[in-house]
Each structure stands twice: as structure tokens, then as C-alpha cells.
Amino acid sequence: MGNPSFLSRLPVLRLLLPLVMGILLFRLVPGACLPVVLLVVAVVALIVLAVPRKSPAVALALRAVHIIPLSMFMMAVGWLAAFLAMPPELDVKAINGKAVLARVEHIDYHERSMEMQVQLLGLGDDSSQLPAARILLSTSGCDYELVPGDMIAFSLNIQPVNNLGNPDEMDYASHLYHKGIRYRQHTKLAELVKTGSSPTLMTRAENLRQSLEHKILNSALAPATQTMLIAVLLGNDDFISPETRERFSVAGVAHVLALSGLHIMVIAVLVWLLLFPLDYVRAKKLRLVMTLLLLIGYDVLTGMSPSVVRATVMIGFVFMGTLFYRKSVSLNSVAAAALVILVFSPGSLYSVGFQLSFITVTALIIFYQTVDVKYPSSKLLKYFYSLLLTSLVAMLSSTILTAYYFNTLSVMAVLANFVVLPVFPVFMTVGAVALLLLAAGSSAGWLNDLLDWLTAFINDSVTWLSAWSLGHSQVYVTWVAVVVYYAILVMLALWLYRRNFRWLLAAGVMLAIGLAHSIAVDVMVPKQGLVIFNSFNSTPVLYYNHGRALLWVPDVSHDFDIDAFKRQHKAFLAHYRITTIETVEDAVKKSIEGGIVKHPYALLCDKWIVAVAKGRWKNYEPSDSGEVKFDVLLVTKQYHSTIAKARELYDVKAVVLSGDIYDDNVPALEKECQQQGVPYYSIKSSGAYVVGE
């Protein structure tokens, strides 16, 4: 890797690296002057380099710098690609309240609601008044007759997508932004009017996929088999329960539930085998072309995820090399796949799936090309040894990113992959045959029993492995730790390749930097604090002290999902080293060091808090509050009176408005606080209410 001719042997990398830099620069320098400057400098450099040189030595020396204008040009391309993919900014005040026509692109059904991605086409019948934009549209109620490709009309009331403002939360706004969505709206189902249908290629593919999903869901397969088959063959993991995701994540095999390169390879082999009759008519090249075309069609059917496109492009390079009698270089194929994806979808660079996929594949290719692996003589032992080695390399290359995004570190990943991966190609092959039979209107027969058995084996294995308490842990990883980790891996690889002690010494220095950073982060974390989280349907109040925590939800009694809370705030719990959470129920007094809760009162972080929630304000009796002057009056959506009425009962210094209060009620409550001169804090608009030592 340290050879000076490294880039010359990987020409696609010369294009990919500056393209990535250009995409990243768009976030730092959004002004249009940057690509212009880059293009001008590139043209000037090309002109200077094109001037004939009398001295051969000078001409030879200048050949080495021809990469500079090329790099600048590709940086400009990356910047422009990111600019063109940026979702348009709309004049919200000017268009809200007007009727709009839109096309449904995707629908997710929930228990009592729908969430749709829709393409805005125009205000009324005039498409010129509105730039093409996609929004996230949620509804109260479900319409199961609505399908992707349908045209709908409704009144606009869009709002920019904002994060909730909870500590260590996922950057949901950026996630949607990179998918081309800047705004969202919630409306009643009755306010949507279907006006017709105008399907596109992708919406037709979406409908076909949903049709296949319905055939699977209506089959005789066990529910667990149905959901796994839909996830691994059709690329829709919405049916996978959060508990199942958690088990697979803890065991270190969550990647098998998401359609990826592993699944595409199985599908490619299956398609290749089904087309074997073409070899008998001397049409091997046609067999290659048809396999590639069917894979592209499969990509469209499953939604064109980056990992799927990456695998298909790599297979395409191998096939093209065979067709034109050229040998493809694996790293070139990976770089070409990344280049294709990022040119057309620059936001994929920030996708965890994209990052994990390319880093893992690149690490495997580099490992097997640079390390002389000694395999056992037995074919069976060789297979399992290769599988174990591949799992180990994949885990080492991806574990830090997995920990960064999912806050889970699993040391059982190698063993779990060793157990699950050999079974998965069999499951996919049998599942693909069963799906073809179901699509043809036939019964899968005995294949159902086989698929159910394979699913049970996979689930039981994952459950057993995830139950090992010492096999996994919650961790908090910063981006600095990610950079340091990969820097260490690169330096160790260079040391193994060149046997130069300086690389090993540099890796040691980076390790020391990483440890110092980890210690600094741990020291800076408050050991005691209070957080009132921003939530749509409750008001979670968490007091923590040296790893223990009290969770008080004053507006929810016994049906609060504590497991869902832990999953949603996994990063926060890992960051603050919270390992034990005790929940507080009505009429139950609970306390830990420095905190005590007796609904509706609490003393947390030396702050007296009173929550007005269940029932009307007059149902609260101030007798047991004594003469306490409350620091915080916590108002939830279940409080149906005024701030003035609450202050007649309680002497409060400030008001905190819960994040679950309906949007229409917040301005009135804020105005009342202003009129009474009482300080207030609105969680819905300002994020979680946080108190730390």
C-alpha cells in the first residue's frame, strides 16, 4: 500500500478521493465560488502543463503533477453533485394554507397512522409555482387503498424537520436531508383527496414489492419466517420487531437483516445457475449480460440501497472484464462502485450502510491481497477457517463504526457470524424458490417447513448468543475515536506490509492519543444530572447519579414502554454510564442518592418539581406540599387549565412546558407565561430540559 505507484495501479481511486473531498467541502463552503475557483485553477493548470518543454527531464517531472488539475476537477464535480442533490428550500409562509398536488412515493403503515414520502408537484394545477420537493407526510388514520404512484391533493402546512433536541440523539434531520427531505407535515386522513394515479418506474417497483410482501404475509409460513424473508429478499425490514433487531445487534449479526452485498452475491449465484441452459447454445456472454440485467432489476425492486448498488457494480465490473477479456482489480471495482453511487447520490456518503459496506469490503480485499494465509488441506476445514477469518477481519474493520452509530460492542460477533452465515445462503436460496412459487400463485409446500426450521435455528442461535452478558456492552464512541481507530489499523497494515518499525511506533502514539481522549471524555461527563426529555407522547423525567437512575413519567401510568425508552436513548445511557434504571409509578415513593419522587412532587438535583398531568388542575391537593417554593412547574398535555390556576395552588419560580403538548396549545401557554412575568422553558421548541453538575 505504501508503494509510490499505488494510485497508478488504482486509477478510479484518483477520481473517488477528490470527489469525496468535494462532497465534504460542500458542507463547509456552500458558496458557489468554490467550484468556480476549482474549475478555473484546473483549466489554468492544464494549460500550463500543456506548454511544450525543451528539457525531457522537466517534461517527465511535470507528468507527475497532472493529477492536480484532475483532482480539482473531481472536487468541483463532488461539490456540484452535493449541491444538485440538496433538497430545495421553500417559502413556508407563502405556500402554507394553499392546496397542493403531490405523488405518493413510499408508504409506511403504523397502528393508527401512516407515514408517506410524497413528491410535491405544484400548487393546485400550476406546477411552475413550486420547485420539485419531497416531504414526509404523516396522517392520523390509515388508508390501505392508497398505493405508491397515486396522486393526492391536500392543504399545505409544512414545517422544517428539526431534531427533538435530546442529549446524544440521532441527527434525524440530517438523515432525512441526505435523503432529499427538508420538510414534514402531519394532517388528518380525511383532508387527503386522491385525484388519480401517475406511477413512475420506482413507484411501480414499490407496488410490485408490496404485492410480493402481501403474498408472503398471507402464506402458511410462520410469522418470524415471513418477516425475515421480506427483510432479506425484498429489502424491507419494517416488519422486524425492535426486540429482534436488538438481539441481532447484541449478537453482532444485525447486518444479515439488511439487504447487502452478501445477499446480492447469493442472488447472483442463484440467477447464474438458473440460466445454465444458455451455455448449451454457446451463449455464455448472453448468460453474463442477462444475469447482470436481472440483478439491476432486482436492485430497482428492492429500492436501490447503496450496499446493493455497490455489490451489483462490482459484479458488473467482473462480468465486463470477462466479456472484454480484461482482468478487473478488486479495489478498482469497489472504488468504481462508490464513484457511481456518490455521483448520483452524494448523500449516501453520510449513510451508515454505505460506510460499513465499503469499509468492510475494502478491508477484506486488502487483507487477502497482502497476507499470505495458510489454509488447512481439508476442503471442509478450509471453508470454515476462511469463514472464521473473514468474520474476524470484517468485525475488526467495522466494530468501531458499529459502536459509533449503534452504541453496542459485541465480542460474540465472530462466533455469531461463524454460526449464522453458513446457514444464511441456504435460507436465501430456499426462500427465493418459495417466493417464486408464491408469486406464481402456487404453494411452497414442504419448503415452508424447511424455511421455518432455518428461521428457528437462526433466531435460537442469536437469542442464545445475545444472552451472554459478558458478550456485549453498551459503549459511547466519539468521531475522534473512530478516526484514531482507523488510523491505527492503517499504520498496522503498513507495518505488516513494509516491516518498518516507524509505522508500529506511530500506531502506538495514536493509541495513546485515543486513550487520552477517552479518559478526557469520561472525566467531562457529569456523574449527576436531570433530563426532561422531548417526546411526542409522554414526559420522561430522568434523574441519574453515578450509574443509577430514576425514571418518572408523570403523564403515563403503567403502559410506558421502558424498553423502547432504553433503545431510543441508548447513546445517552452509554455516554453517562447509566446501567440501572428504576421506574416510578403513581402513589409509590422512590429514591436514590440525591433524588426522591412521590408523584406529583419530586426533589431532583436540588430542584423541587411539581408535575400537573393526569386529571384537571383542581384534582391536585397542595396539602402535602407544605410551604415549599417549587423551582419547576412541569406542564403536560394532560393538564387542561391555565398557568394562573396552577400558580394559585403552587408557588413556582419557573414553568417547563412538556414536549408532548399539542402544537396548537404551546403558543397560548407561552403567551400566558409572558403576561404573568414567569420564566418558562418550552421543550418542544428548545429541546430537552437538562440540569448537570
Side-chain angles (χ1 to χ4, degrees), residues 167-322:
D168 296 306
E169 69 180 344
M170 171 190 171
D171 192 351
Y172 185 63
S174 291
H175 171 71
L176 287 181
Y177 179 89
H178 294 307
K179 294 178 67 174
I181 298 174
R182 190 194 289 262
Y183 301 95
R184 69 181 306 158
Q185 176 176 337
H186 183 78
T187 188
K188 296 178 181 179
L189 182 61
E191 296 178 358
L192 298 184
V193 179
K194 181 179 176 180
T195 61
S197 180
S198 178
T200 63
L201 173 63
M202 295 305 296
T203 59
R204 291 180 189 275
E206 178 83 8
N207 288 327
L208 176 58
R209 185 177 71 180
Q210 289 186 3
S211 175
L212 294 174
E213 290 174 1
H214 292 155
K215 289 182 180 295
I216 293 175
L217 293 172
N218 293 326
S219 69
L221 291 166
T225 307
Q226 293 174 353
T227 56
M228 187 172 292
L229 202 60
I230 291 173
V232 303
L233 283 182
L234 299 179
N236 183 7
D237 59 358
D238 292 340
F239 295 98
I240 302 292
S241 67
E243 294 77 17
T244 301
R245 294 176 192 271
E246 185 69 14
R247 288 201 311 271
F248 275 72
S249 177
V250 167
V253 288
H255 58 91
V256 301
L257 295 177
L259 198 60
S260 63
L262 168 68
H263 307 76
I264 293 299
M265 289 300 298
V266 175
I267 296 296
V269 171
L270 183 60
V271 172
W272 174 260
L273 293 176
L274 290 175
L275 296 176
F276 77 92
L278 292 176
D279 276 6
Y280 291 101
V281 294
R282 300 180 182 276
K284 185 176 182 179
K285 290 187 176 181
L286 179 61
R287 187 181 180 187
L288 291 170
V289 173
M290 289 188 64
T291 301
L292 186 57
L293 290 176
L294 288 172
L295 281 180
I296 294 174
Y298 182 74
D299 291 358
V300 175
L301 174 66
T302 55
M304 301 287 288
S305 67
S307 57
V308 170
V309 174
R310 184 262 308 161
T312 302
V313 172
M314 288 186 62
I315 293 172
F317 267 80
V318 175
F319 283 7
M320 296 299 289
T322 303

Side-chain angles (χ1 to χ4, degrees), residues 351-556:
S351 164
V352 57
F354 178 91
Q355 296 171 15
L356 284 171
S357 176
F358 279 94
I359 285 177
T360 302
V361 172
T362 302
L364 287 170
I365 291 173
I366 292 175
F367 176 80
Y368 281 110
Q369 287 185 351
T370 57
V371 178
D372 185 17
V373 181
K374 304 297 182 182
Y375 292 102
S377 56
S378 169
K379 289 185 177 180
L380 183 61
L381 290 177
K382 180 181 178 180
Y383 170 75
F384 283 106
Y385 181 75
S386 176
L387 182 62
L388 185 63
L389 198 59
T390 299
S391 299
L392 180 61
V393 174
M395 186 193 76
L396 289 175
S397 62
S398 62
T399 186
I400 192 69
L401 270 184
T402 303
Y404 177 72
Y405 284 109
F406 305 111
N407 304 105
T408 299
L409 181 63
S410 175
V411 298
M412 303 298 295
V414 175
L415 179 58
N417 280 279
F418 186 77
V419 173
V420 172
L421 287 186
V423 182
F424 231 79
V426 179
F427 175 84
M428 287 196 62
T429 302
V430 177
V433 175
L435 181 58
L436 290 175
L437 292 173
L438 290 173
S442 177
S443 173
W446 61 271
L447 293 179
N448 288 345
D449 297 331
L450 179 56
L451 283 172
D452 288 341
W453 183 87
L454 291 170
T455 303
F457 173 81
I458 293 171
N459 281 330
D460 290 345
S461 300
V462 170
T463 300
W464 178 70
L465 290 167
S466 63
W468 289 35
S469 59
L470 297 179
H472 63 90
S473 59
Q474 288 189 351
V475 294
Y476 178 78
V477 176
T478 66
W479 66 268
V480 174
V482 175
V483 172
V484 169
Y485 182 86
Y486 283 115
I488 292 173
L489 286 186
V490 170
M491 291 171 184
L492 289 177
L494 288 171
W495 172 66
L496 290 172
Y497 184 64
R498 289 190 160 190
R499 297 296 178 180
N500 190 322
F501 180 75
R502 286 180 298 178
W503 290 114
L504 184 60
L505 181 62
V509 172
M510 291 302 298
L511 178 61
I513 293 174
L515 292 174
H517 171 74
S518 177
I519 294 172
V521 169
D522 188 56
V523 169
M524 293 173 62
V525 172
K527 300 302 184 288
Q528 181 188 35
L530 166 68
V531 180
I532 305 178
F533 288 92
N534 189 3
S535 177
F536 293 116
N537 55 8
S538 61
T539 311
V541 181
L542 186 81
Y543 167 74
Y544 62 92
N545 192 332
H546 290 82
R548 294 183 61 198
L550 278 178
L551 178 62
W552 175 36
V553 190
D555 48 353
V556 177

Side-chain angles (χ1 to χ4, degrees), residues 26 34 106 218 231 312 341 395 431 462 492 570 582 610-611 629 641 653:
F26 176 75
L34 179 64
H106 178 76
N218 293 326
T312 302
I341 293 173
M395 186 193 76
V462 170
L492 289 177
K570 185 186 294 184
E582 298 179 36
V610 58
K629 184 177 180 64
S641 188
K653 296 179 181 178

